[in-house]
Amino acid sequence: MLANTLLAVAALTSAAQAHFGVDYPPMRVDSFEDPYNQYLRPCAGANTTNNRTEWPLDGGSVVLELHHPTDYIFVNLGLGSDVTTFNISLTPNFFNNTGNGTLCLPKFPIPAGVQIQDGTNASIQVVTVNHAGNALYNCADIVFRTSATILSGDACMNTTSGPLFAVQDQTELLKSTGNNTAGDKPSSAVHGSSVHILTASLTVILAMVVASGLL
Ligand SMILES: *[C@@H]1O[C@H](CO)[C@@H](O)[C@H](O)[C@H]1NC(C)=O
Ligand SMILES: *[C@@H]1O[C@H](CO)[C@@H](O)[C@H](O)[C@H]1NC(C)=O
Ligand SMILES: *[C@@H]1O[C@H](CO)[C@@H](O)[C@H](O)[C@H]1NC(C)=O
Ligand SMILES: *[C@@H]1O[C@H](CO)[C@@H](O)[C@H](O)[C@H]1NC(C)=O
Ligand SMILES: *[C@@H]1O[C@H](CO)[C@@H](O)[C@H](O)[C@H]1NC(C)=O
Ligand SMILES: *[C@@H]1O[C@H](CO)[C@@H](O)[C@H](O)[C@H]1NC(C)=O
Ligand SMILES: *[C@@H]1O[C@H](CO)[C@@H](O)[C@H](O)[C@H]1NC(C)=O
Ligand SMILES: *[C@@H]1O[C@H](CO)[C@@H](O)[C@H](O)[C@H]1NC(C)=O
């Protein structure tokens, strides 16, 4: 009995460690529990939208609970009330995070040209990828509101121990040094849900910049 309980606790602990949570905007469901499965894209098997959190029109905050020593992090946006395509990347330079704990990114700016107004429904997809290339997914539902604000103070704190870098494509750097053998592809080569191109992107990485300067 005790052995079974210990096994169950061990299984729970390892399951929790192999997953991540989105504290804000609150994720659709508790995807740590059955029947959900964070390995399933696009939204861990949580197919229907849930309570919407109000986000400012020019972009809002995301708070993550990270359990891995390191993670690559992508945040994508899909417009509409029942989103199936998360094709707007909010992390054209995706993140390389070190250290588990809470990570609050106060503001993900909405890219220029994306049409948003008061009352626009949308969903956010967060993808974390470990260094072996395994991806985990969670989604949260939002509505854009002029009255909404970004998180601050106690609601937006970091407890992760390590640095966060934005991973940058080397193409622009190669251009600036006159070495363009990587071709003319745009530097924002990472689009929503296209985690399969992560490996390709990683091969062309030359530089990392500290994300706090960008956000
Ligand atoms: C979500 O949709 C997928 C694909 O249609 C389906 O296999 C899965 O059972 C659904 N998940 C839930 C929890 O309803
Ligand atoms: C949605 O919001 C209602 C009212 O605040 C709450 O009772 C319910 O638990 C929420 N549902 C989820 C899945 O968070
Ligand atoms: C994203 O997908 C939607 C639905 O498929 C489509 O209408 C929209 O044009 C796409 N947007 C971008 C930026 O690709
Ligand atoms: C991510 O950061 C870790 C250090 O925390 C480093 O070892 C690794 O090379 C970085 N990955 C990329 C793609 O920059
Ligand atoms: C972070 O990882 C360490 C070592 O695995 C673990 O003891 C600790 O509980 C983790 N903390 C969080 C917040 O996940
Ligand atoms: C946004 O979604 C809610 C349900 O979550 C729905 O009641 C509302 O009509 C939707 N708004 C628009 C503009 O489609
Ligand atoms: C340009 O970059 C490629 C790939 O990194 C390298 O093999 C080549 O030597 C570089 N050429 C010059 C002129 O720096
Ligand atoms: C958390 O850390 C990231 C990376 O350093 C930084 O961009 C962000 O502003 C920090 N959040 C807070 C609330 O300080």
Side-chain angles (χ1 to χ4, degrees):
M1 195 61 177
L2 177 63
N4 279 347
T5 309
L6 287 177
L7 272 178
V9 169
L12 269 179
T13 309
S14 66
Q17 277 171 354
H19 291 69
F20 76 99
V22 185
D23 285 354
Y24 188 90
M27 52 187 182
R28 256 181 211 178
V29 295
D30 179 0
S31 60
F32 290 90
E33 301 289 338
D34 286 341
Y36 307 108
N37 177 352
Q38 294 189 4
Y39 287 108
L40 298 177
R41 70 170 291 278
C43 292
N47 300 331
T48 45
T49 57
N50 216 315
N51 295 344
R52 295 184 186 280
T53 302
E54 299 190 348
W55 248 41
L57 266 57
D58 60 348
S61 314
V62 172
V63 182
L64 302 176
E65 283 301 328
L66 300 170
H67 298 144
H68 295 165
T70 58
D71 280 298
Y72 297 118
I73 301 168
F74 301 75
V75 178
N76 303 313
L77 179 73
L79 298 183
S81 300
D82 186 15
V83 176
T84 52
T85 313
F86 294 85
N87 54 2
I88 300 165
S89 173
L90 301 184
T91 47
N93 299 115
F94 60 91
F95 295 125
N96 179 8
N97 180 67
T98 305
N100 58 1
T102 304
L103 179 67
C104 178
L105 298 160
K107 183 165 181 180
F108 282 88
I110 304 299
V114 176
Q115 297 296 318
I116 285 173
Q117 56 196 37
D118 188 66
T120 297
N121 283 340
S123 296
I124 288 167
Q125 177 196 50
V126 181
V127 188
T128 66
V129 181
N130 71 12
H131 285 227
N134 299 308
L136 297 171
Y137 301 87
N138 271 311
C139 295
D141 302 303
I142 60 169
V143 54
F144 287 96
R145 289 287 179 210
T146 45
S147 55
T149 54
I150 61 171
L151 296 183
S152 61
D154 288 352
C156 188
M157 310 252 279
N158 287 334
T159 66
T160 47
S161 55
L164 181 82
F165 298 101
V167 179
Q168 213 177 35
D169 191 307
Q170 71 176 12
T171 311
E172 293 303 318
L173 289 158
L174 286 175
K175 274 187 200 154
S176 68
T177 58
N179 187 337
N180 196 21
T181 52
D184 270 317
K185 289 189 227 73
S187 61
S188 56
V190 179
H191 293 290
S193 304
S194 300
V195 170
H196 57 276
I197 70 170
L198 171 61
T199 318
S201 295
L202 290 181
T203 60
V204 296
I205 285 159
L206 188 67
M208 304 173 293
V209 290
V210 177
S212 49
L214 292 176
L215 288 174

